[in-house]
Amino acid sequence: SLVELELASNNNAKASPTKNPSNKKLITSNSTRVNQVAVLKFVSEHLPELRKMIDYLEKNKPEQYEQAIREFSRDQTRLAAIQKRDADMYRIELELWQLEGKLRMLAAEIAALKKEKDQASAEKQLEILVTKQQKKSLEKVRLQRDRAAAQLARFENLVKQREESVETLTARSLKLWKSRIEKQKPRKASSKSKNIKKTDSK
């Protein structure tokens, strides 16, 4: 991916920053401009390792920097929506996002390594992160399963209640509908009003 390629480039880059050969100004949409500060704050808070990569892209690859900002903005928006409605799921999703980011960075670093000794050590770390990711994914599925089971239990209880009181509920509903029908019928004229009408006709 773009992030992985740029991380690899960053590892192989010289100490002095390279100039953008196209010398084009970064064209940023209003929505991206508004979200930029929030995105950088979000990344710095939850995955500071990624901030170095973002700073590198900003100096050397403006167009790819903008793409990265948009990508992280989508992640931030998705996680913020989850946080509002579900604190437990947000915690899991945030940790999965952090692990995914660490894996992407580590994979780029391993691809750039030349010494087998360094690769072996990095691949051990890769195994640790992948294991954590899979365990966290399992935790997510278990949470979803438990909630689904609880919801199913509520429905089962509701079905049982309905089955036991179907006759009572039917009678109550029928009475209600008959009452509504009576209210919709045109009202009969009173005897007093009938006498008035007869007098007027004479």
Side-chain angles (χ1 to χ4, degrees), residues 140-195:
K140 176 182 175 180
V141 174
R142 281 175 173 166
L143 178 62
Q144 292 172 324
R145 178 203 60 188
D146 293 344
R147 288 179 172 179
Q151 186 176 20
L152 179 60
R154 286 194 295 270
F155 276 114
E156 290 288 355
N157 187 48
L158 182 60
V159 168
K160 185 178 180 181
Q161 290 177 357
R162 290 279 178 165
E163 288 175 343
E164 293 175 349
S165 57
V166 64
E167 293 182 2
T168 302
L169 293 173
T170 299
R172 186 183 303 168
S173 181
L174 185 59
K175 183 179 179 180
L176 178 62
W177 278 108
K178 287 182 177 180
S179 176
R180 288 179 179 177
I181 292 171
E182 287 298 323
K183 289 179 180 179
Q184 292 178 27
K185 288 181 179 181
R187 295 182 179 179
K188 295 180 179 180
S190 63
S191 58
K192 184 177 181 181
S193 62
K194 286 182 179 179
N195 291 333

Side-chain angles (χ1 to χ4, degrees), residues 111-122:
L113 292 175
K114 295 181 179 179
K115 294 182 179 180
E116 291 186 3
K117 182 179 180 180
D118 293 335
Q119 285 186 345
S121 177

Side-chain angles (χ1 to χ4, degrees), residues 1 3 27 35 41 46 58 62 67 72 87-89 98-100 108 110 122 152 156 161 171 173 175 191:
S1 68
V3 175
I27 301 174
N35 292 332
K41 181 180 178 181
H46 297 293
E58 184 179 18
Q67 181 177 340
F72 293 132
D88 291 333
M89 187 60 71
Q98 291 170 321
L99 287 166
E100 178 67 18
I110 293 174
L152 179 60
E156 290 288 355
Q161 290 177 357
S173 181
K175 183 179 179 180
S191 58

Side-chain angles (χ1 to χ4, degrees), residues 33-170:
R33 196 189 306 278
V34 171
N35 292 332
Q36 197 171 21
V37 174
V39 169
L40 293 175
K41 181 180 178 181
F42 173 79
V43 173
S44 297
E45 180 180 354
H46 297 293
L47 197 56
E49 302 94 317
L50 270 178
R51 184 59 190 267
K52 296 178 181 179
M53 181 273 293
I54 294 177
D55 291 341
Y56 169 80
L57 291 180
E58 184 179 18
K59 294 178 181 178
N60 298 277
K61 305 286 183 180
E63 292 179 359
Q64 295 179 7
Y65 166 78
E66 183 179 0
Q67 181 177 340
I69 290 294
R70 287 197 298 268
E71 183 178 325
F72 293 132
S73 178
R74 286 193 295 269
D75 293 339
Q76 181 193 22
T77 300
R78 180 181 67 85
L79 290 167
I82 296 173
Q83 185 179 25
K84 287 182 180 179
R85 65 176 187 267
D86 193 332
D88 291 333
M89 187 60 71
Y90 168 73
R91 175 183 56 79
I92 294 175
E93 289 286 4
L94 178 61
E95 289 184 45
L96 282 171
W97 179 81
Q98 291 170 321
L99 287 166
E100 178 67 18
K102 291 178 180 180
L103 280 166
R104 291 170 70 176
M105 288 187 290
L106 182 58
E109 291 176 9
I110 293 174
L113 292 175
K114 295 181 179 179
K115 294 182 179 180
E116 291 186 3
K117 182 179 180 180
D118 293 335
Q119 285 186 345
S121 177
E123 286 177 0
K124 182 63 178 177
Q125 181 63 25
L126 181 69
E127 182 180 349
I128 293 173
L129 288 176
V130 169
T131 301
K132 287 182 178 180
Q133 184 187 45
Q134 293 306 312
K135 287 183 177 181
K136 189 57 59 176
S137 295
L138 177 59
E139 182 182 348
K140 176 182 175 180
V141 174
R142 281 175 173 166
L143 178 62
Q144 292 172 324
R145 178 203 60 188
D146 293 344
R147 288 179 172 179
Q151 186 176 20
L152 179 60
R154 286 194 295 270
F155 276 114
E156 290 288 355
N157 187 48
L158 182 60
V159 168
K160 185 178 180 181
Q161 290 177 357
R162 290 279 178 165
E163 288 175 343
E164 293 175 349
S165 57
V166 64
E167 293 182 2
T168 302
L169 293 173
T170 299

